[in-house]
């Protein structure tokens, strides 16, 4: 039977590339996004449908499974992809900016997963793939909120896989390095608080450095291929690093003493 994947944040970047790839390969795709009426690239067809889903809206989360089931028989894979980066010196951030970062990147994932667990249990199988980042396993300055949201996701996903394995529900995560998407454009919310001083040089070096690095990064198609592999390799593998340099940096993180690794991060960021 044709399989179905539900993707959050399918209006752009990794989510959109994954929607295209799975549809091309013959899967049914439930491409969810905040504003489906604005979508111009993904065309609805028999195996690809657009749905409205803001991951911070409980009523959207609670209704999405039944909506998709009206079009496709059942859902096999949930791909939690929606996310953005709230960045800048933590001192400049507001409580609302902290909460919103976690509402989208963490609580949205948890609450959609909460909808899917009984559904997959009832079905007797299922898969949840979460989108972490290489910075879910180390940190970079000015990314304290974004990194902590991805660290939270890493902990959540790793613990959940133990709980759900007995129900034949596999839980995985992809860990992209820098990927050339709109992430460093519209998905980067830089804190604006000019009354806080002292971070000017760091902001100039790091934020412009990240944008430049992003220009040379792998495209989102590379991540889509990794999601395809995770969904189809039949394994219980938990983590899938992806994109240029992801494997190398995570290997360095694993083998180097933390103090050396942290010096390396600082050096990179000051280039
Ligand atoms: N690009 C990178 O360098 C990189 C590296 C590691 C991890 N990641 C992760 O990859 C994921 C996708 O990012 P991307 O690079 O593809 O960036 P992107 O092209 O900017 O896409 C971000 C997507 O998230 C959606 N989104 C944001 N807030 C949402 C909400 N409240 N409800 C539903 N959707 C929401 C956006 O939807 P709208 O169109 O409605 O704004 C957009 O579709 C994110 O989780 C990100 O943290 C990216």
């Amino acid at each position: 039977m044709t399989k179905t994947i539900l993707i959050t944040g399918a209006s752009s970047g990794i989510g959109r590339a994954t929607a295209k790839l799975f549809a091309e390969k013959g899967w049914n795709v439930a491409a969810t996004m905040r504003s489906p009426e604005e979508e111009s690239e993904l065309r609805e067809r028999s195996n690809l449908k657009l749905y409205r889903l803001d991951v911070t809206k409980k009523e959207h989360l609670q209704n999405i499974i039944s909506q998709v089931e009206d079009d496709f028989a059942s859902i096999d894979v949930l791909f939690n992809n929606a996310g953005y980066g709230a960045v800048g010196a933590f001192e400049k951030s507001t409580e609302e900016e902290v909460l919103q970062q976690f509402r989208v990147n963490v609580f949205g994932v948890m609450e959609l997963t909460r909808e899917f667990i009984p559904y997959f249990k009832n079905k007797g199988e299922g898969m949840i793939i979460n989108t972490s980042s290489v910075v879910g396993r180390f940190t970079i300055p000015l990314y304290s909120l974004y990194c902590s949201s991805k660290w939270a996701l890493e902990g959540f996903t790793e613990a959940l896989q133990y709980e759900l394995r007995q129900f034949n529900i596999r839980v995985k995560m992809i860990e992209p390095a820098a990927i050339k998407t709109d992430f460093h454009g519209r998905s980067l919310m830089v804190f604006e608080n000019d009354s806080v001083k002292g971070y000017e040089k760091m902001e100039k070096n790091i934020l412009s450095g990240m944008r430049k690095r992003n220009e040379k990064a792998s495209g989102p198609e590379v991540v889509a291929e990794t999601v395809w592999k995770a969904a189809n390799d039949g394994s219980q593998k938990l983590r899938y690093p992806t994109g240029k340099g992801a494997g190398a940096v995570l290997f360095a993180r694993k083998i180097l003493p933390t103090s050396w690794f942290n010096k390396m991060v600082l050096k990179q960021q000051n280039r």
Side-chain angles (χ1 to χ4, degrees):
M1 207 170 86
T2 306
K3 289 197 167 184
T4 301
I5 183 169
L6 183 148
I7 303 170
T8 66
S11 60
S12 177
I14 293 170
R16 186 188 267 159
T18 305
K20 282 187 189 165
L21 181 74
F22 276 69
E24 275 161 27
K25 291 200 182 254
W27 278 47
N28 295 323
V29 176
T32 78
M33 54 194 72
R34 285 191 288 191
S35 310
E37 67 284 357
E38 287 170 18
E39 178 58 34
S40 54
E41 226 181 289
L42 290 177
R43 301 246 172 262
E44 282 211 303
R45 46 189 189 263
S46 62
N47 73 331
L48 191 154
K49 304 280 178 206
L50 308 184
Y51 304 86
R52 184 180 310 283
L53 180 76
D54 181 326
V55 299
T56 64
K57 298 219 161 96
K58 198 135 196 131
E59 66 276 17
H60 290 189
L61 301 174
Q62 285 170 337
N63 293 326
I64 193 67
I65 294 179
S66 58
Q67 281 180 51
V68 175
E69 277 192 313
D70 285 345
D71 293 319
F72 304 125
S74 71
I75 305 165
D76 300 279
V77 177
L78 163 63
F79 177 35
N80 282 309
N81 161 75
Y84 77 98
V87 304
F90 175 73
E91 190 188 351
K92 287 190 170 186
S93 69
T94 63
E95 185 182 5
E96 181 50 31
E97 283 164 335
V98 175
L99 289 172
Q100 188 61 12
Q101 177 73 110
F102 276 76
R103 275 186 207 116
V104 176
N105 289 15
V106 184
F107 306 142
V109 173
M110 288 179 174
E111 292 314 308
L112 189 54
T113 298
R114 190 191 299 288
E115 297 297 322
F116 268 83
I117 293 172
Y119 173 77
F120 282 153
K121 271 173 84 180
N122 195 35
K123 210 173 155 253
E125 63 178 342
M127 186 183 294
I128 299 163
I129 304 175
N130 292 338
T131 306
S132 177
S133 165
V134 288
V135 300
R137 290 212 266 155
F138 64 92
T139 59
I140 43 183
L142 303 185
Y143 281 65
S144 63
L145 288 195
Y146 181 69
C147 289
S148 55
S149 76
K150 294 299 186 186
W151 279 54
L153 210 53
E154 289 265 339
F156 173 63
T157 310
E158 187 175 298
L160 199 66
Q161 47 118 24
Y162 300 125
E163 293 177 26
L164 299 184
R165 192 177 283 217
Q166 61 185 318
F167 303 115
N168 201 21
I169 303 170
R170 280 178 288 161
V171 183
K172 301 181 170 223
M173 67 191 131
I174 55 159
E175 299 174 318
I179 302 296
K180 200 172 170 183
T181 65
D182 239 2
F183 186 80
H184 282 87
R186 70 177 180 155
S187 288
L188 211 62
M189 306 296 150
V190 182
F191 309 136
E192 283 172 16
N193 184 347
D194 293 342
S195 64
V196 174
K197 304 285 181 207
Y199 299 99
E200 296 77 7
K201 189 168 168 234
M202 185 180 256
E203 282 172 349
K204 192 167 165 275
N205 280 347
I206 291 174
L207 297 178
S208 64
M210 289 300 275
R211 287 197 170 103
K212 267 187 224 145
R213 219 163 290 143
N214 207 49
E215 282 306 303
K216 296 186 197 141
S218 315
E221 298 75 21
V222 169
V223 185
E225 289 288 351
T226 305
V227 181
W228 176 259
K229 187 169 172 223
N232 290 286
D233 68 6
S235 79
Q236 294 282 358
K237 190 174 158 182
L238 173 65
R239 292 185 164 89
Y240 293 76
T242 177
K244 219 181 278 171
V249 74
L250 292 179
F251 182 67
R253 179 70 180 113
K254 197 165 155 184
I255 61 160
L256 291 179
T258 301
S259 57
W260 288 20
F261 186 86
N262 291 353
K263 269 189 203 141
M264 202 178 80
V265 170
L266 268 179
K267 208 170 156 193
Q268 277 283 328
Q269 302 300 329
N270 287 325
R271 263 189 196 171

